[in-house]
Amino acid sequence: MKLEPIGVIHSPYKNIEDAPRQGKTEDTSRIEIFETYKEGLKDVKAWKHLIILYWLGKAKRDTLLTLSPFDSKIHGVFAVRSPHRPNPIGLAVVDLIDIKDNILEVSGMDAVDGTEVIDIKPYYAKIDGR
Amino acid sequence: MKLEPIGVIHSPYKNIEDAPRQGKTEDTSRIEIFETYKEGLKDVKAWKHLIILYWLGKAKRDTLLTLSPFDSKIHGVFAVRSPHRPNPIGLAVVDLIDIKDNILEVSGMDAVDGTEVIDIKPYYAKIDGR
């Protein structure tokens, strides 16, 4: 199971300390999709919300228990959204503002500048919302 | 960017033709988490809804344009939820029914029997819902 980056995120957050809590931001980020994958963006513009999967390259992958910032207790990594997990894939639901050529302008992205993008999926409220 | 399976999905769908449209099911599936990763399940039981990431091992990864079953038109793969995409990661938001030891019983899962699991995340309506 090997992944290839399809693009890179340009965000206002230079370090992990600058990044907002997951999704809690109205800042805009730019998602640059590499030329090789650009054709896959056809009709993405029709969607208001997108699910972005990205690679948390600095994560510790051998962590199974972790402190949560919300209650200062130890939880299993699958019960929290910590970047430190066996397969460090980040997920953000973002609002699509615009697409120009191979650049998506979005809000609601919490990833640090330079984060590699793995996948983009349309968000369907009927199946993805609860 | 290499992934390791953390578990396997046991579902009623033996083949892709048997699987329901993404999330449109009330059938139950069982997600078995391997012993190595079991500790990461601590407190997952507190969540009603989970995001499951899984590996679509039979996908064609060189597809960038594809027919949608909804409108018979050609779309970019990032505008649809087709399994055929450069990084074939499936995503389902499921309802958690029960956890016993390393087995999660869930509904809303559309993956075929034997699908490998990559990650489990809690679903937060505030940041994941739109």
Side-chain angles (χ1 to χ4, degrees):
Chain A
M1 294 198 247
K2 280 178 99 175
L3 303 175
E4 292 294 329
I6 62 161
V8 63
I9 297 166
H10 304 283
S11 85
Y13 320 120
K14 296 304 166 199
N15 304 292
I16 191 81
E17 298 77 29
D18 306 330
R21 291 260 173 257
Q22 171 91 229
K24 292 258 176 102
T25 175
E26 300 199 351
D27 293 342
T28 61
S29 289
R30 286 178 306 119
I31 302 175
E32 175 190 349
I33 299 301
F34 299 143
E35 286 295 320
T36 320
Y37 301 104
K38 201 176 109 175
E39 205 173 18
L41 291 176
K42 179 174 156 53
D43 301 328
V44 169
K45 207 168 181 171
W47 296 93
K48 281 187 185 172
H49 313 295
L50 300 172
I51 299 170
I52 312 295
L53 300 183
Y54 48 95
W55 187 250
L56 302 158
K58 292 181 181 167
K60 291 175 224 152
R61 301 184 61 171
D62 56 355
T63 305
L64 287 175
L65 292 171
T66 187
L67 273 172
S68 157
F70 299 112
D71 63 6
S72 312
K73 288 181 187 164
I74 297 279
H75 298 284
V77 289
F78 304 127
V80 298
R81 294 289 278 260
S82 164
H84 307 297
R85 49 206 314 116
N87 292 307
I89 296 173
L91 181 157
V93 177
V94 302
D95 301 321
L96 179 61
I97 300 167
D98 199 10
I99 303 186
K100 280 185 187 133
D101 197 37
N102 62 327
I103 309 284
L104 288 74
E105 190 185 350
V106 303
S107 70
M109 189 78 235
D110 64 343
V112 297
D113 191 50
T115 297
E116 290 172 303
V117 181
I118 297 168
D119 199 11
I120 295 178
K121 298 179 189 295
Y123 172 91
Y124 290 99
K126 275 188 192 173
I127 57 165
D128 300 316
R130 286 293 189 285
Chain B
M1 297 198 246
K2 281 179 96 175
L3 302 175
E4 292 294 330
I6 62 161
V8 63
I9 297 167
H10 303 284
S11 86
Y13 319 120
K14 297 304 165 199
N15 304 292
I16 191 81
E17 298 76 30
D18 308 330
R21 292 259 173 258
Q22 171 92 229
K24 293 256 177 105
T25 176
E26 299 197 353
D27 293 342
T28 60
S29 289
R30 286 178 306 119
I31 302 174
E32 174 190 350
I33 299 301
F34 300 143
E35 285 296 321
T36 321
Y37 301 104
K38 199 176 110 176
E39 205 173 20
L41 290 176
K42 180 175 154 55
D43 301 329
V44 169
K45 208 168 180 171
W47 295 93
K48 282 187 186 171
H49 313 295
L50 299 172
I51 299 170
I52 312 296
L53 300 183
Y54 47 97
W55 187 250
L56 302 159
K58 292 180 181 168
K60 291 174 225 153
R61 302 183 61 171
D62 56 357
T63 304
L64 287 175
L65 293 172
T66 187
L67 272 172
S68 156
F70 299 113
D71 63 6
S72 312
K73 287 182 189 165
I74 298 280
H75 299 283
V77 289
F78 304 127
V80 298
R81 294 288 277 261
S82 165
H84 307 297
R85 49 206 314 117
N87 292 305
I89 297 173
L91 181 158
V93 177
V94 302
D95 301 322
L96 179 62
I97 299 167
D98 199 12
I99 302 186
K100 280 183 187 135
D101 197 36
N102 62 327
I103 309 284
L104 288 73
E105 190 187 350
V106 303
S107 70
M109 190 76 234
D110 65 342
V112 297
D113 192 49
T115 297
E116 290 173 304
V117 182
I118 296 168
D119 199 10
I120 294 177
K121 299 178 189 295
Y123 172 90
Y124 290 99
K126 275 189 193 172
I127 57 166
D128 300 316
R130 286 292 189 287

